Amino acid sequence: MFCFQCEQTLRTDAGAGCASVKGVCGKDEVTADLQDVLIHQLKGIGQYRVRLATLGEVDARADHFIRYALFTTLTNVNFNRARFVPMIAEAARIRDRLQHAYQAAALSAGVEAEVLQGPATFIPAVDLAELLAQAQTIGVLAGADEVGADVIGLRALILYGLKGVAAYAHHADVLGETRPVIGLGIAHALDFLASDPVDLEALLNEALALGTLNFTVMEALDAANTGSYGTPSPIEVRTTAIAGKAILVSGHDLRDLAAILEATKNTGINVYTHGEMLPAHGYPLLRAYPHLAGNYGGAWQNQHQEFAAFPGPIVMTSNCLIEPQPLYRNRIFTAGPVGWPGLRHIEDDNFGVVVQAARALPGFASTEPERTLTVGFGRDAVLGVAERVIDAVKSGVLSHFFLIGGCDGAAPGRNYYTEFAEAVPEDSMVLTLGCGKYRFNTHEFGTIAGLPRLLDMGQCNDAYSALVVAKALAGAFDCDVNDLPLTLVVSWFEQKAAAVFLTLLALGVRNVRLGPSLPAFLTPALLDILVSRFGIQPITTAQADIDAALHRQAA
């Protein structure tokens, strides 16, 4: 086992990476190795998928499998080794099917089929011990002694960004928003990685191309969410309990939440959101369910305490799952790509067993005094008051925008984001998205120009909305996005954040503050490239970074 894909990776004087019987996230070495095998197979599928496309053929089933399989390998998604053995077998069947389809298409077109090498020829062992032995030669560090840490780092950046892209694409896919350009783009990145690239410029260009693809993917997910559940609008969300039976829904998947709301309609069971599901309340067709009672708890890393205290079943629809504790292990369910050994997994949207569990569990005994948070400031809500915002900037009432977004986590240093948000000058506005908002979204920010000073724009994928707003404001001020009075302060944790980071680079957004720590796969030489070419700036202290942002604006 070797893994350094997320912020919580083990860091010692000897280096960074989880390389023992269990990673910091709780993933055991067998599961990690099986995931490496699966990813290697996906590269081989990508090789054939790309070549089929050159002959005018598309395999939508293969695209769907690629997205789902990559999603299962994200940090804090699937820890269940038993789920990966059949996926590896399925990947082999899909590769064989695409190989035969490619050879037949080439024959039909009168061209010679290319004889592929590398992952396209990989045959997974049937025996588990032999399969795990195969994993030792195909992981993320394969060839490191020959190509060096910089090449390995950029390959890792592409792979981990690709995982985030695939996760967003999967969320859109399950809502019916599937675009051939996305499937081909993901396959192209896999095909590129299958060639074991060593040229740093080629690697960097591929990373930027992946960032461009992710913008398309986030746009597709935005279309899927708004097309299914309406355009988000501001609403106050209750954050305290209401007496009665209850179900808690965590993760990102709005389709699962909608299915649970439908399954609990007219049952007297209240449904609460958790973590990144908070923005769901902004969607009109979801909040139309009167039993969508509110949001319970905060960011993912607090689930041990929050899930233990919740008096009903819990459904984890995507990342971030951490090892369930005995106090709630028998009442937490997984869905979609999520898995943990021994937990009950929901198949085919059959949430009836969750409803039964809610009826059997006590629920909340009493109603607590109401407290609320305001969410729902998607791009349409913000652009709907754009004229007021523009006038406030031109008049000097509003001097600066700080977008503080991204992942939360348990590692030291994340209080930086709390300190930053609370120290933002009174004549500035704070935009936020992702679960990092829980570091400061209960702070009283007040108003500016008749608008809330804190605007919650949604989930991490709603970085798309933030970028659309930034482009619109740049157009209104007849300037480049980088010339706006705007500072991006990004907290990263896992692979979805890596995908958004690549999108910012691809769009030419500069001077992004990144923290709390830098990815372990970024070598000093790679960091120098990011700083010199893209203006990436590691965080320092909250006040120093605020001062630097305002000084840059004044310069």
Side-chain angles (χ1 to χ4, degrees):
M1 169 184 181
F2 180 85
C3 182
F4 59 175
Q5 69 176 0
C6 74
E7 183 209 18
Q8 61 191 339
T9 191
L10 185 66
R11 299 172 191 256
T12 68
D13 293 340
C18 294
S20 61
V21 296
K22 181 180 285 189
V24 175
C25 69
K27 181 166 52 181
D28 66 62
E29 62 178 337
V30 172
T31 304
D33 288 346
L34 292 176
Q35 290 183 0
D36 284 345
V37 171
L38 180 61
I39 289 168
H40 192 70
Q41 292 178 285
L42 295 176
K43 293 176 185 177
I45 293 173
Q47 289 176 275
Y48 281 113
R49 169 68 175 86
V50 166
R51 283 152 186 82
L52 264 176
T54 64
L55 299 174
E57 296 199 17
V58 174
D59 193 310
R61 286 187 298 158
D63 289 347
H64 174 79
F65 179 80
I66 289 170
R67 289 189 288 268
Y68 177 85
L70 281 170
F71 198 168
T72 64
T73 70
L74 262 71
T75 298
N76 291 355
V77 172
N78 200 318
F79 302 78
N80 190 353
R81 67 176 72 172
R83 294 265 296 277
F84 287 96
V85 172
M87 268 197 286
I88 287 170
E90 178 66 12
R93 290 190 291 269
I94 291 172
R95 189 275 315 275
D96 290 347
R97 189 183 79 236
L98 264 61
Q99 180 185 17
H100 295 149
Y102 170 56
Q103 291 170 343
L107 181 63
S108 177
V111 298
E112 185 176 353
E114 185 179 348
V115 178
L116 300 181
Q117 302 298 325
T121 67
F122 178 78
I123 300 175
V126 176
D127 178 77
L128 179 60
E130 293 178 3
L131 194 61
L132 296 176
Q134 288 178 312
Q136 306 312 307
T137 63
I138 56 179
V140 70
L141 291 184
D145 291 341
E146 292 78 28
V147 301
D150 296 340
V151 167
I152 293 297
L154 277 180
R155 288 180 186 174
L157 177 60
I158 294 169
L159 174 60
Y160 300 152
L162 181 61
K163 290 184 179 188
V165 172
Y168 288 148
H170 175 79
H171 286 308
D173 185 28
V174 298
L175 290 173
E177 189 68 30
T178 303
R179 302 180 184 183
V181 66
I182 294 174
L184 182 57
I186 292 173
H188 172 83
L190 288 166
D191 179 47
F192 177 79
L193 290 172
S195 69
D196 291 331
V198 297
D199 183 82
L200 291 180
E201 284 300 320
L203 284 158
L204 187 58
N205 288 336
E206 185 65 24
L208 295 177
L210 190 60
T212 300
L213 176 66
N214 189 56
F215 186 78
T216 299
V217 171
M218 290 194 298
E219 188 274 329
L221 179 52
D222 179 87
N225 288 340
T226 57
S228 299
Y229 307 116
T231 300
S233 59
I235 185 174
E236 290 188 0
V237 179
R238 186 185 184 104
T239 59
T240 49
I242 297 173
K245 304 290 186 177
I247 294 172
L248 187 63
V249 185
S250 191
H252 302 72
D253 199 293
L254 298 184
R255 182 176 176 274
D256 282 344
L257 174 63
I260 291 167
L261 288 167
E262 189 63 25
T264 50
K265 188 167 60 175
N266 301 321
T267 64
I269 298 170
N270 288 322
V271 176
Y272 295 82
T273 56
H274 176 268
E276 278 268 48
M277 202 64 81
L278 168 62
H281 294 266
Y283 291 89
L285 296 187
L286 293 176
R287 70 182 186 228
Y289 288 91
H291 60 297
L292 181 60
N295 189 74
Y296 174 90
W300 65 271
Q301 73 274 8
N302 300 322
Q303 64 190 254
H304 278 168
Q305 297 78 31
E306 292 169 353
F307 289 2
F310 189 79
I314 303 138
V315 180
M316 184 62 71
T317 68
S318 69
N319 50 318
C320 290
L321 173 67
I322 55 179
E323 182 171 4
Q325 299 300 292
L327 283 171
Y328 60 88
R329 190 183 182 94
N330 65 347
R331 55 184 173 87
I332 183 170
F333 300 81
T334 61
V338 189
W340 189 279
L343 297 190
R344 287 172 286 182
H345 187 72
I346 303 299
E347 300 283 0
D348 301 322
D349 297 335
N350 184 12
F351 290 100
V353 64
V354 180
V355 176
Q356 293 175 4
R359 287 185 170 129
L361 289 162
F364 288 105
S366 60
T367 298
E368 300 173 355
E370 185 176 17
R371 295 193 302 274
T372 62
L373 292 172
T374 303
V375 303
F377 289 98
R379 70 176 189 283
D380 290 307
V382 176
L383 293 177
V385 294
E387 188 172 328
R388 198 188 315 176
V389 171
I390 292 167
D391 288 344
V393 173
K394 289 181 176 178
S395 68
V397 172
L398 176 56
S399 70
H400 204 85
F401 302 91
F402 291 92
L403 174 59
I404 311 173
C407 316
D408 202 1
R414 288 187 173 271
N415 58 318
Y416 165 92
Y417 297 96
T418 307
E419 295 168 0
F420 193 108
E422 293 179 355
V424 162
E426 293 291 327
D427 62 352
S428 298
M429 181 174 283
V430 176
L431 312 176
T432 191
L433 48 85
C435 63
K437 73 187 69 169
Y438 285 106
R439 289 281 166 174
F440 51 81
N441 66 349
T442 58
H443 178 74
E444 180 53 58
F445 285 90
T447 61
I448 187 168
L451 300 169
R453 283 186 62 234
L454 176 66
L455 303 183
D456 186 341
M457 301 193 73
Q459 295 181 327
C460 54
N461 53 277
D462 289 310
Y464 169 76
S465 278
L467 289 167
V468 169
V469 168
K471 288 184 175 183
L473 289 176
F477 288 111
D478 193 24
C479 69
D480 185 79
V481 167
N482 291 312
D483 295 324
L484 288 172
L486 169 67
T487 299
L488 276 65
V489 186
V490 176
S491 57
W492 89 282
F493 175 76
E494 43 81 272
Q495 297 75 56
K496 288 179 177 178
V500 174
F501 176 66
L502 290 178
T503 297
L504 295 176
L505 299 185
L507 294 179
V509 178
R510 296 183 59 83
N511 301 307
V512 175
R513 289 280 180 183
L514 182 64
S517 60
L518 297 178
F521 50 83
L522 288 183
T523 64
L526 296 180
L527 179 58
D528 286 344
I529 292 173
L530 294 176
V531 171
S532 62
R533 296 194 188 184
F534 304 101
I536 298 301
Q537 303 173 56
I539 64 170
T540 60
T541 66
Q543 192 59 57
D545 291 347
I546 291 172
D547 292 343
L550 298 178
H551 177 75
R552 182 175 62 83
Q553 176 188 342

